[in-house]
């Protein structure tokens, strides 16, 4: 036995695996699984979930941060940020079963990887990868009309958060217009902290309540 010099050791890797299924029927789905490098916006890996088991498997290299995007015709897309570059010493496999939501009027999706500075309304660059997936979705489904909703936690007054949430939703609206999505297909609204999805009594709950989402108005 002998020790391998650090310079010659293989880079550590991890993985993300799971299954994709229809959120209503629970049937397994064959869907496209895309691993995107957040820094470059380029595809790092493409895979297809198995049509019988819904299973997929992608390798994660900890020198990068990633966005996982899962898509299938007739469904809202799913995305998840995997930020491992700064946490490579705590690298763990990710196992997650993912329901895809069929496209119906009233269906809504939280855009989990949209980022703003605290109390600011300008989109941060690491939001663009997810927003471009929304652009792709709207381009592929030209009959769909959406509302973009901005939501906050309950820190501050209702009126302050109303303005903040509306301006954040407007920032997403304007980004989509800049990517040639017709303004007539979209509207935006700020909800302040009127529609929490979790408790505002914990930081974890407040983080979930600070969100941008879209809802299908017409398909």
């Amino acid at each position: 036995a002998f020790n391998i010099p650090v310079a010659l050791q293989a880079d550590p890797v991890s993985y993300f695996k799971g299954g994709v299924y229809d959120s209503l029927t629970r049937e397994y789905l064959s869907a496209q699984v895309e691993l995107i490098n957040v820094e470059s916006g380029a595809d790092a890996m493409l895979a297809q979930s198995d049509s019988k088991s819904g299973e997929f498997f992608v390798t994660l290299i900890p020198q990068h941060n990633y966005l996982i995007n899962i898509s299938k015709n007739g469904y809202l897309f799913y995305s998840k940020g995997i930020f491992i570059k700064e946490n490579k010493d705590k690298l763990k496999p990710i196992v997650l079963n993912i329901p895809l939501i069929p496209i119906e009027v009233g269906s809504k999706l939280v855009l989990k990887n949209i980022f703003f500075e605290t109390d600011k309304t300008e989109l941060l660059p690491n939001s663009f990868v997810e927003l471009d997936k929304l652009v792709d979705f709207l381009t592929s489904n030209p009959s769909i009309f959406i509302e973009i909703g901005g939501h906050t936690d309950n820190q501050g007054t209702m009126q302050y958060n109303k303005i903040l949430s509306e301006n954040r939703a407007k920032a997403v609206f304007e980004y989509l217009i800049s990517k040639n999505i017709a303004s007539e297909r979209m509207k935006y609204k700020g909800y302040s902290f009127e529609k929490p999805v979790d408790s505002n009594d914990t930081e974890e709950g407040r983080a979930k309540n600070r969100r941008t989402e879209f809802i299908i108005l017409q398909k």
Side-chain angles (χ1 to χ4, degrees):
F2 59 92
N3 293 323
I4 300 175
V6 174
L8 298 179
Q9 292 177 13
D11 291 333
V13 296
S14 187
Y15 61 83
F16 179 32
K17 74 172 185 177
V20 184
Y21 63 94
D22 185 300
S23 65
L24 298 179
T25 67
R26 315 293 288 186
E27 293 179 358
Y28 294 120
L29 298 173
S30 175
Q32 178 175 280
V33 180
E34 203 174 357
L35 183 66
I36 304 164
N37 184 320
V38 170
E39 289 92 345
S40 67
D43 286 339
M45 183 181 294
L46 286 174
Q48 196 80 15
S49 62
D50 185 83
S51 59
K52 294 182 179 179
S53 65
E55 293 179 347
F56 67 88
F57 183 101
V58 292
T59 303
L60 305 174
I61 301 173
Q63 281 76 13
H64 304 287
N65 290 322
Y66 298 100
L67 181 77
I68 290 282
N69 182 267
I70 299 177
S71 58
K72 181 176 177 63
N73 289 339
Y75 292 84
L76 302 183
F77 63 88
Y78 169 91
S79 62
K80 177 179 177 60
I82 302 178
F83 301 100
I84 56 177
K85 185 175 182 179
E86 296 81 4
N87 300 292
K88 56 187 176 184
D89 294 335
K90 302 177 182 178
L91 197 62
K92 294 181 180 179
I94 300 170
V95 180
L96 192 63
N97 289 317
I98 296 164
L100 292 186
I101 302 170
I103 296 173
E104 297 290 349
V105 173
S107 296
K108 62 183 177 181
L109 184 72
V110 176
L111 298 167
K112 298 177 182 176
N113 303 286
I114 305 299
F115 305 103
F116 302 89
E117 289 187 18
T118 303
D119 290 334
K120 300 290 180 62
T121 61
E122 184 177 350
L123 287 162
L124 294 176
N126 53 350
S127 305
F128 299 158
V129 174
E130 172 126 336
L131 286 173
D132 287 343
K133 288 301 162 188
L134 179 53
V135 170
D136 291 344
F137 173 77
L138 292 172
T139 301
S140 299
N141 297 275
S143 63
I144 282 179
F145 286 61
I146 65 169
E147 178 191 274
I148 303 157
H151 301 263
T152 67
D153 60 28
N154 68 346
Q155 305 299 293
T157 67
M158 176 68 77
Q159 182 60 25
Y160 175 83
N161 282 293
K162 181 79 170 177
I163 295 169
L164 178 66
S165 60
E166 182 159 323
N167 285 334
R168 286 182 168 181
K170 183 180 180 182
V172 172
F173 173 82
E174 290 177 341
Y175 182 88
L176 297 176
I177 290 174
S178 76
K179 297 294 182 175
N180 299 317
I181 302 300
S183 61
E184 294 79 10
R185 297 177 59 194
M186 304 178 291
K187 63 179 183 178
Y188 62 88
K189 185 174 181 179
Y191 287 94
S192 189
F193 47 84
E194 296 173 12
K195 296 187 176 185
V197 293
D198 207 326
S199 169
N200 276 307
D201 295 332
T202 66
E203 178 51 42
E204 181 180 4
R206 289 191 293 271
K208 290 181 180 179
N209 290 331
R210 297 189 297 268
R211 68 195 190 278
T212 304
E213 63 185 24
F214 73 89
I215 184 168
I216 304 294
L217 301 177
Q218 177 182 318
K219 69 171 187 174

